[in-house]
């Protein structure tokens, strides 16, 4: 097995790391404290091609694969998980749903400006009464001549208040259950489509998370995304790729927390020597580093599978997401512990990693849901 990165992949990692450390790191706590969504970053991210990583150049993308995409999310998240999160939601959820299931006309109209970074995307599946049970969607879409009329609301939508384009799921035939849910492309400014409450969150505070609301929202028939009734089935396939991005998100923050812990352990002196000289701290760092490296192998294995044509990678993406997110929580916890009292205050990065990483065990399917997905794959259940 070849575990080496190409020179181009190494250059990409270096470029994104330099960008994150130069353009994001100086503002991390400022943005976090103010829950500020950094719109000012979007032109710079677009210029680097980071808002269309996995899409062909003919659709405005950079024509790279999931290994490069995981690299981008990892390096952004190493500095600030919030930035990694909104870039991930834009790429692997909204834009990818249009790329995978859209018509040629839809791709030209919506995917191209999304991949070019001229527009920002959001993806709305979760509802107040439909979280892990996304098949319990209650938002409705009723055909009315040449339009669909959408009513309902979505919650926990990343980029919801700022997105120009939103892919949303709604019930078109309640008799058919999960096969009666369809996907639609909505645009900012459509009458009856608006953002709702902005969530006040524990972590990832510079990433926008909000409701989106449909009130007699008129959506043109040509904005039906994929076959009618197959929106939920399509969403499950989109989540396969989305879970790789959450795994990379967790991996990046775990790496950042590990580096912060090593740095502090070398600087902090107790009993006349750096605490890195104590075996208790060395063992913690060794365990943290080993788990981060194991998570990295799972993440990039899943990314490799995603780059293969006509290969399902549901199990691999769920394993990567489950393990990397739980590792991120453990590593961030140990990072705080190594910092001691300083890990509990905002002068050091430990407390922010600790707050941010928890999202990874919840978003795009909880750890418990990942275990169900993995078990079903092992048992041959669809």
């Amino acid at each position: 097995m070849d575990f080496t990165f190409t020179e181009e992949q190494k250059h990409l990692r270096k470029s994104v790391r330099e960008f994150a450390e130069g353009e994001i790191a100086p503002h991390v706590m400022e943005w976090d404290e103010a829950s500020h969504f950094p719109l000012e970053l979007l032109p710079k991210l677009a210029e680097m091609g980071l808002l269309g990583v996995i899409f062909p150049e003919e659709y405005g993308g950079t024509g790279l694969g999931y290994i490069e995409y995981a690299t981008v999310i990892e390096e952004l998240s190493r500095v600030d998980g919030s930035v990694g999160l909104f870039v991930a939601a834009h790429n692997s959820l909204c834009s990818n749903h249009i790329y995978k299931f859209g018509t040629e006309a839809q791709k030209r109209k919506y995917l191209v400006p999304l991949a070019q970074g001229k527009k920002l995307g959001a993806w709305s599946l979760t509802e107040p009464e439909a979280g892990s049970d996304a098949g319990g969607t209650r938002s409705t879409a009723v055909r009315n001549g040449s339009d669909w009329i959408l009513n309902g609301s979505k919650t926990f939508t990343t980029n919801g208040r700022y997105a120009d384009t939103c892919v949303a799921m709604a019930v078109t035939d309640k008799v058919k259950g999960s096969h009666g849910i369809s996907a639609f492309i909505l645009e900012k400014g459509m009458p009856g489509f608006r953002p709702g409450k902005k969530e006040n969150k524990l972590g990832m505070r510079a990433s926008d998370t909000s409701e989106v609301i449909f009130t007699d929202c008129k959506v043109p028939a040509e904005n039906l995304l994929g076959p009618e009734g197959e929106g939920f089935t399509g969403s499950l396939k989109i989540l396969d790729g989305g879970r790789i991005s959450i795994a990379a998100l967790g991996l990046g923050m775990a790496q950042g927390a590990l580096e912060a812990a090593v740095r502090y352990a070398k600087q902090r002196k107790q009993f006349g020597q750096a605490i890195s000289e104590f075996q208790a701290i060395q063992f913690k760092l060794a365990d943290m580093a080993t788990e981060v490296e194991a998570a990295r192998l799972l993440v990039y294995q899943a990314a490799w599978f995603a780059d293969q044509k006509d290969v399902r990678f549901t199990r691999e993406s769920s394993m990567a997401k489950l393990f990397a997110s739980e590792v991120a929580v453990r590593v961030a916890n140990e990072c705080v512990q190594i910092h001691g009292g300083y890990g509990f205050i905002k002068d050091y990065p430990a407390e922010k990693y600790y707050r941010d990483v928890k999202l990874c065990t919840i978003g795009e399917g909880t750890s418990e849901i990942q275990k169900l997905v993995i078990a079903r794959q092992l048992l041959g259940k669809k």
Side-chain angles (χ1 to χ4, degrees):
M1 297 179 70
D2 186 359
F3 292 98
T4 59
F5 289 95
T6 66
E7 289 303 314
E8 290 78 10
Q9 290 165 343
K10 291 177 183 176
H11 177 72
L12 175 66
R13 183 180 293 279
K14 182 174 181 288
S15 298
V16 178
R17 177 168 293 198
E18 290 175 351
F19 170 78
E21 291 179 347
E23 301 287 340
I24 299 173
H27 308 287
V28 167
M29 291 311 298
E30 169 195 345
W31 293 343
D32 181 77
E33 289 288 308
S35 292
H36 170 70
F37 183 75
L39 281 172
E40 60 268 34
L41 279 182
L42 294 184
K44 299 173 184 178
L45 292 166
E47 184 179 355
M48 294 181 68
L50 304 187
L51 296 177
V53 182
I54 53 177
F55 309 112
E57 293 181 12
E58 64 180 299
Y59 294 122
T62 52
L64 300 175
Y66 268 84
I67 288 178
E68 291 83 2
Y69 175 52
T71 299
V72 168
I73 300 303
E74 179 189 349
E75 288 299 327
L76 292 174
S77 305
R78 172 180 164 270
V79 172
D80 190 354
S82 292
V83 177
L85 179 59
F86 78 71
V87 171
H90 171 89
N91 271 283
S92 60
L93 296 181
C94 175
S95 302
N96 200 35
H97 203 143
I98 296 171
Y99 175 60
K100 292 291 188 183
F101 296 100
T103 63
E104 186 64 23
Q106 288 172 337
K107 292 176 186 177
R108 293 293 172 190
K109 182 175 181 180
Y110 295 108
L111 177 59
V112 170
L114 286 167
Q116 291 175 337
K118 294 179 179 178
K119 292 189 175 181
L120 183 65
W123 193 75
S124 291
L125 176 64
T126 303
E127 297 186 359
E129 301 297 326
S132 294
D133 179 20
T137 298
R138 294 185 179 181
S139 293
T140 61
V142 178
R143 188 66 183 262
N144 181 21
S146 60
D147 300 305
W148 290 90
I149 307 300
L150 270 64
N151 281 283
S153 66
K154 300 289 182 177
T155 191
F156 301 145
T157 298
T158 303
N159 303 339
R161 295 180 67 82
Y162 298 94
D164 302 286
T165 305
C166 178
V167 172
M169 270 43 74
V171 176
T172 49
D173 188 342
K174 63 181 180 181
V175 175
K176 295 182 179 179
S178 61
H179 289 285
I181 298 173
S182 302
F184 297 88
I185 305 172
L186 291 88
E187 296 180 78
K188 179 186 287 187
M190 279 183 171
F193 173 49
R194 64 179 178 86
K197 174 189 175 186
K198 176 183 177 179
E199 301 295 348
N200 187 10
K201 300 175 295 183
L202 167 72
M204 300 290 198
R205 292 175 61 81
S207 171
D208 174 64
T209 305
S210 65
E211 294 178 318
V212 293
I213 298 171
F214 321 117
T215 306
D216 294 329
C217 178
K218 185 183 293 186
V219 180
E222 61 264 27
N223 281 35
L224 176 69
L225 180 57
E228 182 180 341
E230 293 303 311
F232 179 69
T233 302
S235 294
L236 296 180
K237 294 178 181 178
I238 295 303
L239 284 170
D240 284 347
R243 285 166 179 162
I244 293 174
S245 64
I246 297 298
L249 182 74
L251 172 61
M253 289 188 287
Q255 180 65 41
L258 171 61
E259 291 173 10
V262 170
R263 190 165 55 245
Y264 183 81
K266 289 180 177 180
Q267 296 170 351
R268 176 66 166 168
K269 288 183 169 56
Q270 290 287 277
F271 305 102
Q273 59 184 327
I275 64 172
S276 60
E277 297 299 315
F278 298 123
Q279 190 180 69
I281 300 300
Q282 292 175 356
F283 280 10
K284 284 181 181 296
L285 293 173
D287 286 340
M288 293 160 71
T290 301
E291 286 206 289
V292 168
E293 202 58 35
R296 181 169 286 111
L297 290 172
L298 278 175
V299 170
Y300 284 96
Q301 174 187 254
W304 182 86
F305 272 103
D307 282 335
Q308 309 310 304
K309 291 184 178 180
D310 302 319
V311 174
R312 285 300 299 272
F313 49 94
T314 301
R315 185 182 72 166
E316 289 76 14
S317 65
S318 286
M319 284 181 171
K321 197 268 190 190
L322 170 65
F323 189 75
S325 62
E326 294 291 344
V327 163
V329 170
R330 290 194 291 271
V331 169
N333 179 67
E334 291 287 49
C335 179
V336 171
Q337 194 70 18
I338 289 170
H339 279 72
Y342 290 109
F344 207 68
I345 62 175
K346 294 181 181 292
D347 293 343
Y348 291 82
E351 66 85 30
K352 184 176 186 297
Y353 285 120
Y354 187 75
R355 288 186 288 112
D356 285 351
V357 295
K358 189 57 190 171
L359 180 276
C360 296
T361 68
I362 299 169
E364 296 192 37
T366 63
S367 291
E368 291 74 20
I369 290 295
Q370 302 315 310
K371 291 178 182 180
L372 287 175
V373 171
I374 295 165
R376 291 179 71 85
Q377 292 291 311
L378 290 173
L379 297 171
K381 298 181 179 180
K382 293 184 178 180

